[in-house]
Every structure is written in structure tokens, then in C-alpha cells.
Amino acid sequence: MKMRLKLKKSANLLLACLTALPLMLTPTNVSAASDANINLASEKQLIKGFGGINHPAWIGDLTAAQRETAFGNDQNQLGFSVLRIYVDPDRNNWSREVATAKRAIEKGAIVFASPWNPPSDMVETFNRNGDTNAKRLKYDKYAAYAQHLNDFVTYMKNNGVNLYAISVQNEPDYAHDWTWWTPQEMLRFMKENAGSINNTKVMAPESFQYLKNMSDPILNDPQALANMDILGAHTYGTQIKDFAYPLFKQKGAGKELWMTEVYYPNSDNNSADRWPEALDVSYHMHSAMVEGDFQAYVWWYIRRQYGPMKEDGTISKRGYNMAHFSKFVRPGYVRVDATKNPDTNTYVSAYKGDNKVVIVAINRGTSATSQRFVLQNGNASTVSSYVTDSSRNLASLAPINVSNGAFTAQLPAQSVTTFVANLSGGTGGGNVGTGTTYEAETGTTLTDAVIETLYPGFTGSGYVNFNAYTGSAIQWNNINNTITGTKNVKFRYAQESGTRNLDIYVNGTKVLSNEPFTATGSWSTWGEKTIQVPMNAGVNTLRIVTTGTEGPNIDNITVTAAS
């Protein structure tokens, strides 16, 4: 019965989607054909990843092979790096979520959870616009509900799944088949109760259509905002012109912005391979990244006849369109400025990380086009490329030579092409380019941590090794900024194996809890991890503290502004 809920949504949203469609499909900033300039020094949002939901309670669990297809990043795999799971109101069913979530984490993904309903004893019915069976959380059960969410986080952790985040409610403003929340009810919970949810980030409000009346009150209330780590939104029928959120840019420093559910453009049976309709998926992802500045893009069901994976476990045309982002734009990459619409039907976005630049170019026109790409503040010698069109799926093309920082490529009719190049010189060498680097061994205050030079490859005069204590810390005391706002902080660190978590404090206030640092492969292999935090103009402190028994070896941090 529950698996029909989304089909009900399709019917109810049809009018809204049809109304929005002309605007969604019409370029809003058309210009004459021009170069696509990729400015590697102009950084935008930090990317957390791409993925979808696994929902064994409604449509059955992914099989072992399907988990590999979803979260692996080899040939004929999607490379998903985000998994959404279901918080069942009945804790006896929580075990259903464990197997796929564990495997996703083992493959490098992060996992977050969303509830549709509280436990039945916390729910009451009320009259909502004549519907006397509408459901809501009892007003005297808010604290108990927060504990319910805490219990789910603890259960998953005890079963090997450290949740990255938990949502307060799935679609509180489209709850015909689940639990309604008004904006004021959501605000009250975020102010009074969300702060008691421990050991994971808190997401809200997951409006079904990115309706700002659900999230504006949170952004405008300092206490509620302090208790929200991620602003989650769904974009069913949302017009692209409404993807931008100026109030979030104004108030959301240090917070994350995720698109946490959609299917696009429809949920027709067996529509996953329909072409060129499937090309709309990559166009929608482009718009979410470029117009909405979203840091994550999460599909509805991973496996469905209209999803990225078909019911037989093979990747669909829609899935290959998602893979043009998910396989190449990895967690920790940063979107950089690019000419977003260099020709009438051409759409471009660009990203950097791991000493690479990734460019995703979409040609929605019915004719092939020639497009010139210009790399600014960075260079490369050759470019690899991969194309999906009516007859090909992520097909590898011949390398393209870069001359004087530019290359020209043919974009086939109705296609998406991803270009990948190793960077040489300029500001694109890592996840974050220009900025100020602060060594861990100088200008810092160390608590139960020591300076070492045992493993090679460090910068400066050494690196810092946390002693095996909870509460060991490094504090940088003189981070200078010219303006207040969100900053990218890139850690250069080494860790042989496993995942180690750190709490992050800015100017004495905890801004991130249990931030995971994953293995780099050896103590002499230095990797990078970028986080985003709020900082003030002038001098700031940044403190990182172990939460288990140990942390990674820290070489340095690089701080830049996030535009």
C-alpha cells in the first residue's frame, strides 16, 4: 500500500509540474555562442555527493550485487556517495536498514535518515481543512520524539552505521499520507528540541517543493538556526527560477544545503530509458548545482522502473545521466565558476578536487555543436571525456589536447559529456585553491598532541599526531579573514586505515560534530578533506578535538572564502 504514495504525489503534482514545465525547460539566460570559461580560482559550494534512497519497507532491499552497482565506482557502477534511509516508526523494523547502509559506508558513501511518522503513541489526529484524519505529533511529545530520533542514531551506530545526519520530518507540508507540521510547529521543535539530538547532524525541514515558508522561520530564528546543520529540500515541481535562496546565503553561514528527494521529470512506468527525456535528469542536476547551489543531489528510489537503476539491477539512461556527476564529482570537490549557458542549448558546470578539474556539458539541442572551453587560473595538458547520448552510455572518447589553456570539443545532439583533466599549475591543485595555509605545528595550541616528523611528505617543519585520548586537540589561534561569512577549510592529513571523527570548534563554539576523516591508505599518504564553517572578519580560532580514542595526523589547513 505504501509504495503507492509517490504515485499519488505524481497525480496531485501533475498540474503544478505542467505549469512549471515551460519555465523549467526554457533557458533563462540565453546568449550568443561563446567560450565556456572555467575559473578555477572562483570557488562556489563544497560538494557532499549524489545518491538516492533505499526503502526496504516499501519496495524491498537492494541485493548485494545492486549495492555494488549503486555505490561502487568502477565500470558499470553509479558511484553514488550519498544514501538516504527510512526511520521506521516501529523500532522493531530498524534492522532492515542496516545491511545496505553498512555496505554504502564501506564503499565511501555517507548515510542520512528521514522519518515519515513518529511512533503511533506520539501521534494524534486533527481537523485539517476538513480532513478529520490528518495526523500530527502531539504537542506534549516533542521531547519524546527527539529521543526517538536519538535512539535511531544510537541503534544504527551500534550496528556499524554512523549516520551523517537525521531529518526531523519528510515533507511536513505534503503529508496527506503521513504527519503534518506547520512552519510554526517545525520552528518550535527546532528551537526547543532539536538541540538534544546528539552524535549526528540535524536536517530540516525537507519541504516537498522547496517552499521557503517552511524554512524561513528557522533561518530567521538564531536558536533554531543554531540547532539545524543541514537545510534539506525536495524539488517536486519547483521552478528553476525558485532554486536560488537569498535568505540562506544571508543567514546560513556554516550550514549545508541539500536537495534530498526528487524524481524528474516524471515517474511513469518504465520511463528510465526514454530518450531524450532522460537527458532532463542531468539538466535538472546542473540547475540544482548552478542555480540552487545545492551541495548534494538525492534521487527518490535508487532501484525503480523510473529510477537510476532498473528493477533488474542494471543502470538506466537516467542513471547514466546522474553518473556523469556522481562518478566524477566526488565528495569534497568544490564547484567553480563556469560560463553556465555559453550557447542557446548548452549548459556547463565545473568542479575541482584531487588535483583535477571536472566539467559537465549538456547539449539539449537537436544538432551537434562545437564548444571551446578555457581554463583560467590553472592548466592541463590533455582531457579525458565520456559521453551519453541516444546510443551510448558513458562511452569513453579519444583524449583531447589542451593548447594555451583551452580545448575544443564536439557536443553531440541531445547529449551529456563529462570532461576530466589533471591540473598543472595555477590555483586548482587541490580541493580548495587560493587561500591562506596554516601549519599544524606552528602558531597552534596542542592538547594531548605532539609534533612529529616520522612520516615523509609533510609541509613545514612537521605534522601533529593526536595522542590516543578523547579530547586531544589542535587549536589554530590566528586565522585572519577580511570579511564575515562561510569559509572553506581544507585539511591535509594522513590516516592509514579506518575512519576517525573530530569535533570542530570556531571561536569556542562547536560547529561540526563527529566529522569523519576516512583512510588515506598509509601514514605517509597525505589526503585532503574540506569542510565549511562560519568565521568572523578579523582574527578567528579553529579547534579540532578527538571524539574517540585517536585522530588522523594533521599537516596543515588552508582557509578560503566560499562564495
Side-chain angles (χ1 to χ4, degrees):
M1 177 182 69
K2 289 185 176 179
M3 63 185 287
R4 295 198 300 268
L5 293 178
K6 286 294 164 182
L7 298 180
K8 291 181 183 179
K9 177 181 289 183
S10 294
N12 291 334
L13 280 177
L14 182 59
L15 180 60
C17 291
L18 289 175
T19 301
L21 196 57
L23 286 168
M24 298 172 89
L25 299 184
T26 301
T28 56
N29 186 21
V30 175
S31 60
S34 61
D35 291 346
N37 295 312
I38 313 301
N39 186 352
L40 292 157
S42 180
E43 298 171 355
K44 304 300 181 181
Q45 73 269 33
L46 173 70
I47 303 301
K48 303 302 293 190
F50 305 87
I53 195 171
N54 180 51
H55 214 319
W58 288 5
I59 63 165
D61 200 359
L62 295 178
T63 67
Q66 290 164 0
R67 293 168 193 148
E68 302 306 303
T69 300
F71 302 105
N73 202 21
D74 293 329
Q75 191 172 6
N76 297 318
Q77 295 179 331
L78 285 163
F80 281 175
S81 50
V82 179
L83 170 65
R84 186 183 186 213
I85 63 173
Y86 173 56
V87 183
D88 199 300
D90 183 352
R91 65 182 59 224
N92 293 320
N93 295 327
W94 288 353
S95 61
R96 296 173 175 172
E97 308 299 329
V98 171
T100 292
K102 283 186 69 173
R103 188 56 182 155
I105 288 175
E106 290 169 357
K107 300 296 287 186
I110 56 178
V111 179
F112 77 102
S114 297
W116 269 246
N117 291 296
S120 57
D121 65 318
M122 299 183 192
V123 176
E124 65 183 4
T125 58
F126 71 109
N127 188 332
R128 184 185 183 279
N129 300 329
D131 178 7
T132 58
N133 291 315
K135 294 189 294 186
R136 69 183 175 201
L137 177 64
K138 293 177 181 178
Y139 287 174
D140 62 351
K141 294 292 186 181
Y142 277 38
Y145 182 56
Q147 186 57 50
H148 169 72
L149 299 180
N150 261 329
D151 290 347
F152 184 82
V153 174
T154 300
Y155 175 88
M156 295 303 290
K157 183 174 184 178
N158 290 342
N159 284 276
V161 177
N162 286 316
L163 289 179
Y164 185 80
I166 193 164
S167 174
V168 174
Q169 171 67 46
N170 171 77
E171 296 181 350
D173 51 348
Y174 192 91
H176 302 282
D177 296 291
W178 44 87
T179 302
W180 291 99
W181 296 61
T182 67
Q184 288 306 308
E185 289 165 349
M186 181 63 68
L187 176 63
R188 176 194 156 188
F189 184 87
M190 292 305 298
K191 285 179 64 174
E192 299 178 6
N193 305 101
S196 67
I197 299 173
N198 302 314
N199 299 316
T200 194
K201 300 178 191 294
V202 176
M203 176 186 290
E206 287 203 280
S207 165
F208 86 106
Q209 206 171 27
Y210 203 11
L211 300 179
K212 309 306 192 294
N213 70 311
M214 285 300 303
S215 45
D216 279 356
I218 300 172
L219 292 172
N220 285 320
D221 186 284
Q223 186 57 57
L225 181 59
N227 291 335
M228 182 188 74
D229 302 295
I230 304 173
L231 196 158
H234 301 178
T235 51
Y236 288 105
T238 310
Q239 296 183 28
I240 288 171
K241 70 179 182 65
D242 294 326
F243 277 10
Y245 199 176
L247 185 64
F248 181 84
K249 284 198 173 285
Q250 177 188 348
K251 299 289 185 71
K255 308 299 180 180
E256 298 176 25
L257 182 63
W258 288 29
M259 198 296 293
T260 56
E261 185 188 315
V262 78
Y263 51 73
Y264 187 86
N266 54 52
S267 59
D268 293 354
N269 285 339
N270 303 311
S271 60
D273 286 327
R274 200 177 293 153
W275 195 266
E277 183 181 281
L279 187 63
D280 287 343
V281 173
S282 56
Y283 172 64
H284 195 256
M285 295 177 74
H286 162 90
S287 301
M289 298 292 109
V290 173
E291 307 296 344
D293 291 303
F294 285 109
Q295 296 174 255
Y297 186 99
V298 184
W299 190 262
W300 179 225
Y301 292 125
I302 292 174
R303 186 195 66 224
R304 207 68 177 142
Q305 66 269 21
Y306 53 86
M309 183 190 298
K310 292 178 288 187
E311 295 291 355
D312 64 1
T314 60
I315 298 173
S316 69
K317 281 286 193 182
R318 289 184 175 183
Y320 281 111
N321 272 259
M322 289 190 70
H324 273 270
F325 291 86
S326 58
K327 287 181 71 68
F328 304 102
V329 183
R330 303 303 294 169
Y333 282 33
V334 176
R335 185 173 74 86
V336 296
D337 191 50
T339 306
K340 64 182 180 182
N341 188 201
D343 202 355
T344 303
N345 294 304
T346 303
Y347 299 87
V348 174
S349 62
Y351 312 81
K352 68 177 180 182
D354 294 332
N355 205 42
K356 298 175 182 177
V357 59
V358 178
I359 303 168
V360 184
I362 302 162
N363 178 12
R364 304 181 76 210
T366 55
S367 300
T369 186
S370 179
Q371 181 62 55
R372 185 170 183 260
F373 298 88
V374 180
L375 301 179
Q376 300 172 337
N377 297 301
N379 206 348
S381 56
T382 60
V383 177
S384 301
S385 58
Y386 308 85
V387 67
T388 296
D389 58 13
S390 60
S391 61
R392 293 174 288 184
N393 295 322
L394 266 177
S396 179
L397 303 178
I400 303 171
N401 290 324
V402 179
S403 177
N404 297 319
F407 67 95
T408 300
Q410 302 301 309
L411 305 180
Q414 297 176 322
S415 69
V416 53
T417 307
T418 297
F419 302 94
V420 182
N422 291 319
L423 290 167
S424 56
T427 64
N431 286 357
V432 180
T434 56
T436 303
T437 296
Y438 301 87
E439 295 293 337
E441 72 278 8
T442 58
T444 54
T445 301
L446 305 182
T447 304
D448 288 327
V450 295
I451 299 170
E452 290 184 349
T453 58
L454 178 63
Y455 296 104
F458 56 82
T459 61
S461 59
Y463 58 87
V464 172
N465 180 3
F466 291 101
N467 287 330
Y469 300 111
T470 297
S472 299
I474 308 170
Q475 178 167 302
W476 287 265
N477 297 311
N478 294 288
I479 299 174
N480 285 284
N481 297 307
T482 56
I483 59 172
T484 297
T486 298
K487 310 298 176 183
N488 289 326
V489 179
K490 179 182 69 177
F491 290 88
R492 189 171 191 264
Y493 75 98
Q495 184 169 298
E496 188 171 52
S497 61
T499 297
R500 297 178 177 182
N501 299 326
L502 298 175
D503 286 343
I504 316 291
Y505 295 78
V506 173
N507 300 323
T509 300
K510 185 190 290 187
V511 294
L512 294 172
S513 297
N514 287 307
E515 188 67 24
F517 285 71
T518 57
T520 61
S522 77
W523 292 114
S524 56
T525 299
W526 298 93
E528 295 174 351
K529 175 185 175 65
T530 301
I531 62 171
Q532 289 188 323
V533 299
M535 286 188 180
N536 300 325
V539 177
N540 296 260
T541 64
L542 178 77
R543 183 177 177 86
I544 58 175
V545 184
T546 57
T547 62
T549 58
E550 185 58 285
N553 289 344
I554 303 293
D555 184 28
N556 62 46
I557 59 171
T558 300
V559 180
T560 59
S563 59

